[in-house]
Amino acid sequence: MNFFSYFNRIFHGHPSASKFFVISSLSSGGLIAHADSPSEGGKSIFELNQKVPQKKKVVVLGTGWAGTSFLKDLDISSYDVQVVSPRNYFAFTPLLPSVTCGTVEARSIVEPVRNIIKKRNGEINFWEAECLKIDQANRKIFCRSIIDENLAGNNEFSLQYDYLIIAIGAQVNTFNTSGVLEHCHFLKEVEDAQKIRRTVIDCFEKAVLPGLTEEERKTNLHFVVVGGGPTGIEFAAELHDFVHEDLVNIYPSVKDLVNITVIQSGDHILNSFDERISSFAERKFQRDGIQVLTGHRVVSVSDRLINMKNKTTGNDDSMPHGMVVWSTGVGTHPVVKDFMEQVGQGNRRVLATDEWLRVKGCENVYALGDCATVDQKKIMEDISEIFKAADKDNSGTLTIEEFQDVIEDVIIRYPQVELYLNSKHLFDVADLLRDTDGNDRLEVDIEGFKLALSHVDTQMKSLPATAQVAAQQGAYLSRCFNIWDKCKDNPEGPRKFRSGGRHEFRPFRYRHLGQFAPLGGEQAAAELPGDWVSMGHSTQWLWYSVYARLDMVE
């Protein structure tokens, strides 16, 4: 007797039961329902294999700022989420320079991933492994565990995905400089900071050994930082404070032999900041005895020498060192480079996405953080279509009213328009349509319209590779995933000027909250929105308060 006939006999043997249901879940994901009603003459009704909608598989690569921000806010009730990362924790990277000198303990800036991904309405799976290859054609990734290979089981596996979120960050950019990988320290991970701390102590321990010449002691205590960006400058400042507040008391015999040098290929350190901050930092370092060599490019590094070229004179220079910290920007991971070849971006230096963070050339792959850049569309590419959409009466000219009818969508779709208005101190978008003498015009033709917006695209800028950008991108994308079904029927984005209709979502818009540069000695510099610059002791306390108020995870 099979399963169905067995239950049919039981139900028909109990006519007093007016109605009875049995629902059973099958491995195929279907449902079986049985109903017996005497009023229908004892007929049985089966509804077989009513499919439950399968959750879309979302694979997230990386547990840095972008990946963690995406996972924290994602509503996983509609998604089967799997996370792959060789790092089983989230690190608060802005404080890494402080870890190098013990100002902050490493355990204070990390949070286990498994604590972060706990969800009350579902489960996120985490796999501690590295992604070796992305197979875009078959929507699959190939991974390898980084856990001890002596343990039982296979270390390699693959995962299918419906949507892939690439948030693996970037690796150190050595610019193929000879000897960097072998002889330099980096500052990208918590392990890097801990290694630097041990090496600094080793340099001092070696310098106080008997039998060394003074020149050898000086060499061991010469700390070189290559790169004058925020990370390199903050590390140099932390190291200076560590040496002069702690280590000179522990190693008094060599306190006068310590040197710190910053090498910068550009003309100024902190060149991404306001020039007032750059100048303030250079003067502060000069007072502290930190040597700053601008206009020098490192050409090679050996175990004891760092070789440079003076870009002004063309002369070759070299100096001995005890330790070199390399902090000159970011490069692309090999797995991302391979993926770029697959999607027709092999000639680029970084993965390009559209304004919705979707990888160009892919419908189901998104890229966030340092591994990607948003390729903002130029308004001049669509200027004719915008004019046609605004010119409702097909008169060949635009009135102020017609222009104002589309300007909201234009500003949302092309954020450089708003930046241009701010840069020119224009308070009304209608001011864009004024003639060359600044007089108001009642209407403009297509050529006048093009001329009015011809300089807008000059305000387009690439987003910086910072934690601030990555975190905002992760939060933005999780919101899109959360409201996906709603926006299919009721899109919230701007109109599509070329094809008609509207975009499902608003494009990603980065909101710059400012940047800080701790300079040691309880001094810092800050650049905040509104062209506001602060430098000195009060800024240091502002910097402390910002980090004190930040929650790493919810």
Side-chain angles (χ1 to χ4, degrees):
M1 182 182 300
N2 64 30
F3 178 85
F4 300 112
S5 59
Y6 172 76
F7 274 97
N8 204 30
R9 284 185 55 187
I10 292 178
F11 296 151
H12 283 287
H14 294 79
S16 61
S18 62
K19 185 175 289 187
F20 190 68
F21 286 89
V22 174
I23 300 178
S24 175
S25 176
L26 300 181
S27 60
S28 64
L31 296 177
I32 297 175
H34 175 90
D36 182 30
S37 175
S39 61
E40 297 293 332
K43 294 181 180 179
S44 299
I45 302 173
F46 285 87
E47 296 182 25
L48 299 177
N49 202 31
Q50 296 178 357
K51 291 287 185 181
V52 175
Q54 293 291 319
K55 290 184 176 182
K56 294 289 187 181
K57 290 182 171 62
V58 178
V59 174
V60 180
L61 302 181
T63 52
W65 283 91
T68 301
S69 180
F70 174 79
L71 293 168
K72 279 172 53 183
D73 298 325
L74 181 66
D75 178 6
I76 61 172
S77 60
S78 301
Y79 300 103
D80 174 10
V81 185
Q82 301 184 73
V83 184
V84 177
S85 175
R87 191 173 69 182
N88 65 0
Y89 59 84
F90 164 77
F92 196 85
T93 50
L95 290 179
L96 277 180
S98 298
V99 174
T100 62
C101 299
T103 308
V104 174
E105 285 297 328
R107 63 177 178 271
S108 301
I109 69 166
V110 299
E111 181 73 12
V113 170
R114 294 188 183 278
N115 287 349
I116 298 172
I117 63 178
K118 288 180 179 177
K119 298 280 185 176
R120 285 177 294 182
N121 60 341
E123 181 182 5
I124 296 177
N125 292 307
F126 170 72
W127 319 118
E128 187 174 345
E130 61 179 340
C131 177
L132 301 177
K133 185 176 178 62
I134 300 169
D135 183 356
Q136 165 61 9
N138 297 302
R139 297 190 178 188
K140 181 184 292 188
I141 65 169
F142 297 90
C143 308
R144 179 175 60 205
S145 169
I146 64 166
I147 302 171
D148 189 354
E149 294 185 358
N150 292 324
L151 295 174
N154 189 10
N155 282 328
E156 297 187 356
F157 60 94
S158 63
L159 298 173
Q160 293 284 155
Y161 65 82
D162 293 304
Y163 299 107
L164 178 65
I165 315 299
I166 305 175
I168 62 177
Q171 63 182 10
V172 175
N173 192 349
T174 67
F175 299 97
N176 296 319
T177 306
S178 174
V180 171
L181 292 175
E182 296 83 2
H183 305 295
C184 294
H185 289 69
F186 307 111
L187 193 48
K188 292 284 292 178
E189 308 287 349
V190 172
E191 293 81 5
D192 296 335
Q194 293 172 318
K195 184 179 179 182
I196 288 173
R197 186 175 179 178
R198 291 192 298 268
T199 303
V200 170
I201 299 300
D202 288 345
C203 288
F204 273 86
E205 290 290 352
K206 185 65 178 291
V208 298
L209 289 176
L212 273 68
T213 66
E214 183 169 307
E215 196 62 34
E216 289 172 332
R217 299 184 201 277
K218 284 184 177 180
T219 296
N220 291 331
L221 297 178
H222 186 198
F223 303 97
V224 179
V225 180
V226 181
T231 301
I233 294 306
E234 185 176 346
F235 168 70
E238 288 277 2
L239 180 61
H240 174 270
D241 289 354
F242 184 42
V243 168
H244 291 277
E245 294 175 9
D246 298 305
L247 296 182
V248 295
N249 299 319
I250 302 173
Y251 306 95
S253 63
V254 294
K255 65 179 182 179
D256 297 325
L257 304 179
V258 181
N259 281 299
I260 301 173
T261 299
V262 176
I263 301 174
Q264 164 73 343
S265 63
D267 296 331
H268 298 281
I269 60 175
L270 296 178
N271 53 19
S272 63
F273 284 70
D274 186 281
E275 61 181 16
R276 291 169 288 179
I277 291 178
S278 297
S279 299
F280 177 81
E282 289 171 0
R283 293 195 301 271
K284 169 71 167 58
F285 276 16
Q286 186 178 20
R287 291 194 303 269
D288 291 343
I290 299 175
Q291 183 182 18
V292 177
L293 294 178
T294 57
H296 284 69
R297 180 174 62 87
V298 176
V299 295
S300 65
V301 183
S302 68
D303 58 344
R304 282 290 168 260
L305 284 176
I306 184 165
N307 302 302
M308 306 164 289
K309 180 176 287 293
N310 188 319
K311 296 169 68 174
T312 302
T313 65
N315 295 333
D316 294 327
D317 301 321
S318 64
M319 62 174 64
H321 67 82
M323 183 183 77
V324 178
V325 173
W326 188 272
S327 179
T328 60
V330 294
T332 308
H333 276 292
V335 65
V336 176
K337 287 182 180 178
D338 178 76
F339 177 69
M340 290 168 66
E341 293 285 349
Q342 296 181 46
V343 297
Q345 297 190 25
N347 59 342
R348 298 184 58 93
R349 292 189 299 174
V350 66
L351 194 58
T353 74
D354 62 19
E355 297 89 338
W356 292 267
L357 308 184
R358 184 172 49 230
V359 173
K360 288 195 165 185
C362 303
E363 286 296 319
N364 59 332
V365 182
Y366 297 81
L368 320 175
D370 294 356
C371 68
T373 185
V374 177
D375 195 358
Q376 175 64 47
K377 194 170 190 181
K378 295 180 179 180
I379 191 172
M380 295 307 293
E381 295 178 7
D382 294 334
I383 195 71
S384 298
E385 284 71 22
I386 295 172
F387 186 89
K388 290 177 183 177
D391 184 18
K392 292 183 179 179
D393 59 2
N394 295 319
S395 65
T397 60
L398 285 190
T399 64
I400 297 298
E401 290 75 18
E402 287 177 324
F403 179 58
Q404 289 177 331
D405 187 53
V406 298
I407 193 61
E408 182 179 352
D409 289 308
V410 169
I411 288 178
I412 293 172
R413 182 67 180 85
Y414 312 94
Q416 61 267 35
V417 175
E418 186 174 10
L419 295 174
Y420 181 77
L421 289 170
N422 294 336
S423 70
K424 297 299 181 181
H425 305 290
L426 302 177
F427 301 102
D428 190 335
V429 293
D431 295 340
L432 286 170
L433 301 186
R434 290 177 177 175
D435 62 24
T436 54
D437 296 325
N439 300 316
D440 292 332
R441 290 187 289 188
L442 296 179
E443 57 186 22
V444 293
D445 59 14
I446 181 63
E447 295 304 320
F449 189 64
K450 289 180 179 179
L451 182 62
L453 298 174
S454 60
H455 299 295
V456 167
D457 289 329
T458 61
Q459 296 298 311
M460 293 172 59
K461 296 179 181 178
S462 297
L463 298 179
T466 63
Q468 192 176 153
V469 172
Q472 290 185 33
Q473 288 179 334
Y476 163 82
L477 190 60
S478 65
R479 178 183 178 275
C480 292
F481 271 67
N482 292 343
I483 62 174
W484 201 313
D485 290 338
K486 173 185 174 183
C487 288
K488 284 181 179 178
D489 299 324
N490 299 291
E492 66 171 15
R495 71 177 74 181
K496 298 178 180 179
F497 290 108
R498 285 184 175 272
S499 60
R502 306 190 75 86
H503 293 281
E504 289 181 342
F505 311 107
R506 285 173 169 256
F508 171 72
R509 179 72 67 92
Y510 170 59
R511 182 186 172 205
H512 185 59
L513 302 177
Q515 51 186 347
F516 290 82
L519 301 174
E522 296 186 354
Q523 294 197 49
E527 182 180 349
L528 299 175
D531 195 32
W532 189 74
V533 170
S534 176
M535 297 170 286
H537 287 82
S538 60
T539 308
Q540 178 76 348
W541 288 107
L542 175 62
W543 180 71
Y544 285 150
S545 67
V546 168
Y547 282 144
R549 292 172 64 87
L550 284 174
D551 293 324
M552 288 195 301
V553 292
E554 294 178 350

PDB file of all heavy atoms in Angstrom, residues 127-146:
ATOM      1  N   TRP A 127      32.047  31.144   5.122  1.00  0.00           N
ATOM      2  CA  TRP A 127      33.097  30.187   4.824  1.00  0.00           C
ATOM      3  C   TRP A 127      34.447  30.911   4.851  1.00  0.00           C
ATOM      4  O   TRP A 127      34.657  31.876   4.116  1.00  0.00           O
ATOM      5  CB  TRP A 127      32.885  29.555   3.442  1.00  0.00           C
ATOM      6  CG  TRP A 127      31.455  29.210   3.117  1.00  0.00           C
ATOM      7  CD1 TRP A 127      30.709  29.704   2.112  1.00  0.00           C
ATOM      8  CD2 TRP A 127      30.614  28.293   3.819  1.00  0.00           C
ATOM      9  NE1 TRP A 127      29.444  29.160   2.119  1.00  0.00           N
ATOM     10  CE2 TRP A 127      29.364  28.288   3.170  1.00  0.00           C
ATOM     11  CE3 TRP A 127      30.782  27.483   4.945  1.00  0.00           C
ATOM     12  CZ2 TRP A 127      28.284  27.512   3.598  1.00  0.00           C
ATOM     13  CZ3 TRP A 127      29.717  26.702   5.376  1.00  0.00           C
ATOM     14  CH2 TRP A 127      28.501  26.718   4.706  1.00  0.00           C
ATOM     15  N   GLU A 128      35.338  30.459   5.727  1.00  0.00           N
ATOM     16  CA  GLU A 128      36.668  31.067   5.827  1.00  0.00           C
ATOM     17  C   GLU A 128      37.545  30.495   4.713  1.00  0.00           C
ATOM     18  O   GLU A 128      38.125  29.416   4.835  1.00  0.00           O
ATOM     19  CB  GLU A 128      37.292  30.785   7.202  1.00  0.00           C
ATOM     20  CG  GLU A 128      38.591  31.529   7.418  1.00  0.00           C
ATOM     21  CD  GLU A 128      39.142  31.364   8.826  1.00  0.00           C
ATOM     22  OE1 GLU A 128      38.384  30.919   9.723  1.00  0.00           O
ATOM     23  OE2 GLU A 128      40.318  31.663   9.039  1.00  0.00           O
ATOM     24  N   ALA A 129      37.610  31.204   3.621  1.00  0.00           N
ATOM     25  CA  ALA A 129      38.325  30.734   2.435  1.00  0.00           C
ATOM     26  C   ALA A 129      38.595  31.923   1.526  1.00  0.00           C
ATOM     27  O   ALA A 129      38.052  33.017   1.718  1.00  0.00           O
ATOM     28  CB  ALA A 129      37.499  29.678   1.695  1.00  0.00           C
ATOM     29  N   GLU A 130      39.437  31.705   0.550  1.00  0.00           N
ATOM     30  CA  GLU A 130      39.703  32.743  -0.442  1.00  0.00           C
ATOM     31  C   GLU A 130      39.103  32.339  -1.777  1.00  0.00           C
ATOM     32  O   GLU A 130      39.065  31.155  -2.126  1.00  0.00           O
ATOM     33  CB  GLU A 130      41.207  32.995  -0.589  1.00  0.00           C
ATOM     34  CG  GLU A 130      42.002  31.787  -1.060  1.00  0.00           C
ATOM     35  CD  GLU A 130      43.481  32.110  -1.215  1.00  0.00           C
ATOM     36  OE1 GLU A 130      43.809  33.304  -1.323  1.00  0.00           O
ATOM     37  OE2 GLU A 130      44.296  31.166  -1.215  1.00  0.00           O
ATOM     38  N   CYS A 131      38.619  33.327  -2.503  1.00  0.00           N
ATOM     39  CA  CYS A 131      38.067  33.067  -3.836  1.00  0.00           C
ATOM     40  C   CYS A 131      39.218  33.030  -4.833  1.00  0.00           C
ATOM     41  O   CYS A 131      40.007  33.981  -4.923  1.00  0.00           O
ATOM     42  CB  CYS A 131      37.065  34.156  -4.216  1.00  0.00           C
ATOM     43  SG  CYS A 131      36.386  33.966  -5.882  1.00  0.00           S
ATOM     44  N   LEU A 132      39.324  31.934  -5.585  1.00  0.00           N
ATOM     45  CA  LEU A 132      40.393  31.762  -6.560  1.00  0.00           C
ATOM     46  C   LEU A 132      39.981  32.221  -7.951  1.00  0.00           C
ATOM     47  O   LEU A 132      40.803  32.729  -8.713  1.00  0.00           O
ATOM     48  CB  LEU A 132      40.822  30.294  -6.623  1.00  0.00           C
ATOM     49  CG  LEU A 132      41.318  29.669  -5.328  1.00  0.00           C
ATOM     50  CD1 LEU A 132      41.619  28.194  -5.551  1.00  0.00           C
ATOM     51  CD2 LEU A 132      42.545  30.396  -4.816  1.00  0.00           C
ATOM     52  N   LYS A 133      38.705  32.035  -8.271  1.00  0.00           N
ATOM     53  CA  LYS A 133      38.247  32.376  -9.631  1.00  0.00           C
ATOM     54  C   LYS A 133      36.742  32.600  -9.633  1.00  0.00           C
ATOM     55  O   LYS A 133      36.004  31.928  -8.914  1.00  0.00           O
ATOM     56  CB  LYS A 133      38.606  31.263 -10.622  1.00  0.00           C
ATOM     57  CG  LYS A 133      38.281  31.593 -12.080  1.00  0.00           C
ATOM     58  CD  LYS A 133      38.745  30.497 -13.013  1.00  0.00           C
ATOM     59  CE  LYS A 133      38.381  30.810 -14.465  1.00  0.00           C
ATOM     60  NZ  LYS A 133      39.032  32.043 -14.965  1.00  0.00           N
ATOM     61  N   ILE A 134      36.327  33.550 -10.456  1.00  0.00           N
ATOM     62  CA  ILE A 134      34.906  33.796 -10.688  1.00  0.00           C
ATOM     63  C   ILE A 134      34.579  33.345 -12.103  1.00  0.00           C
ATOM     64  O   ILE A 134      35.206  33.786 -13.064  1.00  0.00           O
ATOM     65  CB  ILE A 134      34.574  35.291 -10.530  1.00  0.00           C
ATOM     66  CG1 ILE A 134      34.912  35.775  -9.112  1.00  0.00           C
ATOM     67  CG2 ILE A 134      33.105  35.548 -10.855  1.00  0.00           C
ATOM     68  CD1 ILE A 134      34.853  37.281  -8.958  1.00  0.00           C
ATOM     69  N   ASP A 135      33.625  32.434 -12.225  1.00  0.00           N
ATOM     70  CA  ASP A 135      33.169  31.947 -13.530  1.00  0.00           C
ATOM     71  C   ASP A 135      31.848  32.639 -13.835  1.00  0.00           C
ATOM     72  O   ASP A 135      30.773  32.164 -13.467  1.00  0.00           O
ATOM     73  CB  ASP A 135      33.009  30.425 -13.484  1.00  0.00           C
ATOM     74  CG  ASP A 135      32.595  29.840 -14.834  1.00  0.00           C
ATOM     75  OD1 ASP A 135      32.361  30.629 -15.779  1.00  0.00           O
ATOM     76  OD2 ASP A 135      32.500  28.608 -14.936  1.00  0.00           O
ATOM     77  N   GLN A 136      31.922  33.782 -14.502  1.00  0.00           N
ATOM     78  CA  GLN A 136      30.734  34.579 -14.753  1.00  0.00           C
ATOM     79  C   GLN A 136      29.751  33.857 -15.671  1.00  0.00           C
ATOM     80  O   GLN A 136      28.534  33.943 -15.479  1.00  0.00           O
ATOM     81  CB  GLN A 136      31.143  35.933 -15.350  1.00  0.00           C
ATOM     82  CG  GLN A 136      30.034  36.730 -15.997  1.00  0.00           C
ATOM     83  CD  GLN A 136      28.913  37.100 -15.039  1.00  0.00           C
ATOM     84  OE1 GLN A 136      29.027  36.907 -13.836  1.00  0.00           O
ATOM     85  NE2 GLN A 136      27.813  37.599 -15.586  1.00  0.00           N
ATOM     86  N   ALA A 137      30.249  33.134 -16.658  1.00  0.00           N
ATOM     87  CA  ALA A 137      29.359  32.469 -17.619  1.00  0.00           C
ATOM     88  C   ALA A 137      28.443  31.462 -16.935  1.00  0.00           C
ATOM     89  O   ALA A 137      27.273  31.325 -17.296  1.00  0.00           O
ATOM     90  CB  ALA A 137      30.192  31.786 -18.709  1.00  0.00           C
ATOM     91  N   ASN A 138      28.956  30.745 -15.937  1.00  0.00           N
ATOM     92  CA  ASN A 138      28.178  29.714 -15.248  1.00  0.00           C
ATOM     93  C   ASN A 138      27.714  30.135 -13.865  1.00  0.00           C
ATOM     94  O   ASN A 138      27.187  29.317 -13.105  1.00  0.00           O
ATOM     95  CB  ASN A 138      29.009  28.430 -15.136  1.00  0.00           C
ATOM     96  CG  ASN A 138      29.338  27.838 -16.486  1.00  0.00           C
ATOM     97  OD1 ASN A 138      28.446  27.524 -17.264  1.00  0.00           O
ATOM     98  ND2 ASN A 138      30.625  27.699 -16.785  1.00  0.00           N
ATOM     99  N   ARG A 139      27.936  31.402 -13.528  1.00  0.00           N
ATOM    100  CA  ARG A 139      27.530  31.935 -12.226  1.00  0.00           C
ATOM    101  C   ARG A 139      28.036  31.066 -11.080  1.00  0.00           C
ATOM    102  O   ARG A 139      27.265  30.554 -10.263  1.00  0.00           O
ATOM    103  CB  ARG A 139      26.003  32.084 -12.156  1.00  0.00           C
ATOM    104  CG  ARG A 139      25.457  33.083 -13.156  1.00  0.00           C
ATOM    105  CD  ARG A 139      23.997  33.391 -12.905  1.00  0.00           C
ATOM    106  NE  ARG A 139      23.501  34.379 -13.844  1.00  0.00           N
ATOM    107  CZ  ARG A 139      22.291  34.951 -13.765  1.00  0.00           C
ATOM    108  NH1 ARG A 139      21.476  34.600 -12.789  1.00  0.00           N
ATOM    109  NH2 ARG A 139      21.923  35.850 -14.655  1.00  0.00           N
ATOM    110  N   LYS A 140      29.335  30.924 -11.057  1.00  0.00           N
ATOM    111  CA  LYS A 140      29.949  30.053 -10.048  1.00  0.00           C
ATOM    112  C   LYS A 140      31.276  30.673  -9.610  1.00  0.00           C
ATOM    113  O   LYS A 140      31.950  31.344 -10.390  1.00  0.00           O
ATOM    114  CB  LYS A 140      30.186  28.662 -10.648  1.00  0.00           C
ATOM    115  CG  LYS A 140      30.800  27.651  -9.687  1.00  0.00           C
ATOM    116  CD  LYS A 140      31.088  26.338 -10.398  1.00  0.00           C
ATOM    117  CE  LYS A 140      29.822  25.625 -10.807  1.00  0.00           C
ATOM    118  NZ  LYS A 140      30.100  24.255 -11.336  1.00  0.00           N
ATOM    119  N   ILE A 141      31.641  30.458  -8.355  1.00  0.00           N
ATOM    120  CA  ILE A 141      32.959  30.858  -7.868  1.00  0.00           C
ATOM    121  C   ILE A 141      33.679  29.632  -7.329  1.00  0.00           C
ATOM    122  O   ILE A 141      33.055  28.692  -6.812  1.00  0.00           O
ATOM    123  CB  ILE A 141      32.879  31.946  -6.771  1.00  0.00           C
ATOM    124  CG1 ILE A 141      32.179  31.407  -5.514  1.00  0.00           C
ATOM    125  CG2 ILE A 141      32.218  33.198  -7.298  1.00  0.00           C
ATOM    126  CD1 ILE A 141      32.303  32.325  -4.315  1.00  0.00           C
ATOM    127  N   PHE A 142      34.994  29.640  -7.458  1.00  0.00           N
ATOM    128  CA  PHE A 142      35.822  28.536  -6.974  1.00  0.00           C
ATOM    129  C   PHE A 142      36.676  29.053  -5.818  1.00  0.00           C
ATOM    130  O   PHE A 142      37.320  30.108  -5.928  1.00  0.00           O
ATOM    131  CB  PHE A 142      36.710  28.000  -8.098  1.00  0.00           C
ATOM    132  CG  PHE A 142      35.931  27.419  -9.238  1.00  0.00           C
ATOM    133  CD1 PHE A 142      35.536  28.221 -10.318  1.00  0.00           C
ATOM    134  CD2 PHE A 142      35.560  26.085  -9.237  1.00  0.00           C
ATOM    135  CE1 PHE A 142      34.820  27.695 -11.366  1.00  0.00           C
ATOM    136  CE2 PHE A 142      34.829  25.545 -10.284  1.00  0.00           C
ATOM    137  CZ  PHE A 142      34.449  26.351 -11.346  1.00  0.00           C
ATOM    138  N   CYS A 143      36.659  28.304  -4.729  1.00  0.00           N
ATOM    139  CA  CYS A 143      37.282  28.774  -3.497  1.00  0.00           C
ATOM    140  C   CYS A 143      38.238  27.727  -2.935  1.00  0.00           C
ATOM    141  O   CYS A 143      38.159  26.535  -3.258  1.00  0.00           O
ATOM    142  CB  CYS A 143      36.220  29.094  -2.445  1.00  0.00           C
ATOM    143  SG  CYS A 143      34.912  30.195  -3.024  1.00  0.00           S
ATOM    144  N   ARG A 144      39.115  28.200  -2.050  1.00  0.00           N
ATOM    145  CA  ARG A 144      40.039  27.310  -1.349  1.00  0.00           C
ATOM    146  C   ARG A 144      40.132  27.748   0.104  1.00  0.00           C
ATOM    147  O   ARG A 144      40.333  28.916   0.401  1.00  0.00           O
ATOM    148  CB  ARG A 144      41.417  27.346  -1.992  1.00  0.00           C
ATOM    149  CG  ARG A 144      42.451  26.439  -1.279  1.00  0.00           C
ATOM    150  CD  ARG A 144      43.759  26.431  -2.053  1.00  0.00           C
ATOM    151  NE  ARG A 144      44.316  27.770  -2.151  1.00  0.00           N
ATOM    152  CZ  ARG A 144      45.148  28.154  -3.116  1.00  0.00           C
ATOM    153  NH1 ARG A 144      45.495  27.316  -4.087  1.00  0.00           N
ATOM    154  NH2 ARG A 144      45.623  29.384  -3.146  1.00  0.00           N
ATOM    155  N   SER A 145      39.983  26.794   0.999  1.00  0.00           N
ATOM    156  CA  SER A 145      40.089  27.085   2.427  1.00  0.00           C
ATOM    157  C   SER A 145      41.518  27.482   2.780  1.00  0.00           C
ATOM    158  O   SER A 145      42.484  26.946   2.225  1.00  0.00           O
ATOM    159  CB  SER A 145      39.682  25.856   3.242  1.00  0.00           C
ATOM    160  OG  SER A 145      40.021  26.034   4.607  1.00  0.00           O
ATOM    161  N   ILE A 146      41.656  28.422   3.686  1.00  0.00           N
ATOM    162  CA  ILE A 146      42.991  28.819   4.156  1.00  0.00           C
ATOM    163  C   ILE A 146      43.331  28.180   5.494  1.00  0.00           C
ATOM    164  O   ILE A 146      44.366  28.472   6.091  1.00  0.00           O
ATOM    165  CB  ILE A 146      43.084  30.350   4.281  1.00  0.00           C
ATOM    166  CG1 ILE A 146      42.107  30.845   5.363  1.00  0.00           C
ATOM    167  CG2 ILE A 146      42.818  31.033   2.960  1.00  0.00           C
ATOM    168  CD1 ILE A 146      42.370  32.271   5.783  1.00  0.00           C
TER     169      ILE A 146
END
